[in-house]
Amino acid sequence: MVILEEGRRWSVADFRDGHPIDRFAGLYRDGGATVALGRPPVVLPIGRAVGGTTVVNSGTCYRPPTHVQQRWRDDHGLAPADPDALAPYLDDVEETLQVGPVPPSVMGRNGTLLLTGATGKGWTSHPINRNAPDCVGSCQCSIGCPRNAKFGVHLNALPQACDAGARIISHARVTTVLHRDGRATGVAVRRPDGSALEVHADTVVVAAGAAETPALLWRSSLGDHPRVGRNLSLHPALGLAGRFPEPVVAWEGVLQSAAVDELHHEHGILIEATATPPGMGSMVLPGYGRTLVRRLADADHIGVFGAMIADEPSGRVLGRRLGRRLRRPLLRYDLTRRDTDRLVHAMGAMGRLMFAAGAEEVLTALPNAPSVCTVVELDDALASVDPLNLHVAAFHPTGTAAAGSDDQRSPVDECGRLRGTTGVWVTGATVLPSCPEVNPQVSIMALALAIADGIVTAV
Ligand SMILES: Cc1cc2nc3c(=O)[nH]c(=O)nc-3n(C[C@H](O)[C@H](O)[C@H](O)COP(=O)(O)OP(=O)(O)OC[C@H]3O[C@@H](n4cnc5c(N)ncnc54)[C@H](O)[C@@H]3O)c2cc1C
Ligand code: SF4
């Protein structure tokens, strides 16, 4: 088996010694500046490294909610998502990743404040389950863990694959999947020095993420199915900052540490205490010049929460018509009215949690009221919010080559085969039929294991 990865291999020494900005620019596609075009535009960081986005993710591990598994099974005909069928794969993933709850010793005050706010409001909350058994709370997950404590796939699945005989070629961008009349024969690869190579194989598994997979299929003349590139969900997110009377020092402790799920089932809103790595959080502060300098002097008093909403699949990858000439995809995503309302609702909920935890001021990032000091002021600001002023980001694109039993609706069949081909399989975030409604890595990995079992049986 040969694994081809466009990005480079990063070592723990690179994370320990590299400057945060260099790590950020190197670990993400487009230097971290990928955007889904729309109103408002959505900032969409996507990892590019041996180990994929798990190298930069926060380590948060959720099983897909049962109602999501049932929806995938019943509405999309995705048999492996049946809760009984998926359970052993979910167990396997959690065991491999060594998933466990964030202990109080590394939680940090940012997470504690979220839990305190939830207790004050009587809302359900919990320390987050993560795959970082040796975490010391250095808050750098999104730029590579300097302790190798976060168990991304570069530290478990890939070494396991290499032990079983796989080879990894980094700095290897697959330009096309090679095939003869839809029957896989291998892949063509280009490297950054301009050299090219081909790898010949009669089984090819495309796992290039939700943005790149459709583009690769189109470049390969394999993306004829009309739903390739459609059905993009982003699980969009917003952050809110609060100034507290006592120091928070949000960059000490686990980056994503605690969650409030009170509004999750009914409203699709999942709130998580999510800080930024040391020195990288100034964008949450309002103002510029002297005002910003004053704010920065007070930065250790700032707590940061984030909320994600279960969204409708209102986006798509652009570029189908360019086919083989498509060098990189563009994404288009337009928030629906329902999802805009959900984001505004989420802001109100996060603000309430901050005030319940003792915040003196909540920083909304809204131009009409960048700072509010009471729930009434917050509600006033949110009552007239213009969606274009929302600073939306997203970290969980899914669904652009969805798997399912309906050959009209799903470009990939329920076992992971790309329809109309022989020997071309697809997995990763791109096959999820709809937003998983939680941080998706565990769902993605469990379905990938199910697809892998099917491949082994089929070939
Ligand atoms: C900052 C951040 C934090 C996150 N935190 C969490 C979290 O805490 N918990 C969670 O569950 N999820 C989290 N996620 C999301 C999660 O990591 C991703 O959903 C998941 O890794 C996607 O898996 P994937 O295999 O589909 O794609 P990826 O992990 O993105 O892997 C795809 C790989 O394919 C490579 N590739 C693409 N095109 C080509 C090509 N043509 N040739 C060769 N290689 C190519 C890419 O470089 C990339 O390395 C986070 C995401 C981000 C950005
Ligand atoms: S919080 Fe720090 S130590 Fe813990 S996993 Fe993230 S980067 Fe590693």
Side-chain angles (χ1 to χ4, degrees), residues 4-7 28-29 45-49 51-54 56-61 142 172-174 207-210 212 216 219 256 395-396 428-430 439-442 444:
L4 297 147
E5 166 55 50
E6 180 179 349
Y28 289 85
R29 194 164 287 281
I46 299 173
R48 183 177 55 177
T53 303
T54 67
V56 292
N57 78 17
S58 310
T60 294
C61 291
S142 55
R173 176 171 166 81
V174 176
E212 292 291 324
L216 175 53
R219 285 199 302 270
Q256 196 160 66
F395 308 89
H396 306 153
T430 194
N439 311 56
Q441 66 173 343
V442 171
I444 293 167

Side-chain angles (χ1 to χ4, degrees), residues 130 132 135-141 144-147 149-150 253-255:
R130 300 181 72 239
C135 174
V136 296
S138 65
C139 200
Q140 300 179 46
C141 314
C145 175
R147 314 261 313 190
K150 189 189 63 190
V254 173
L255 185 138

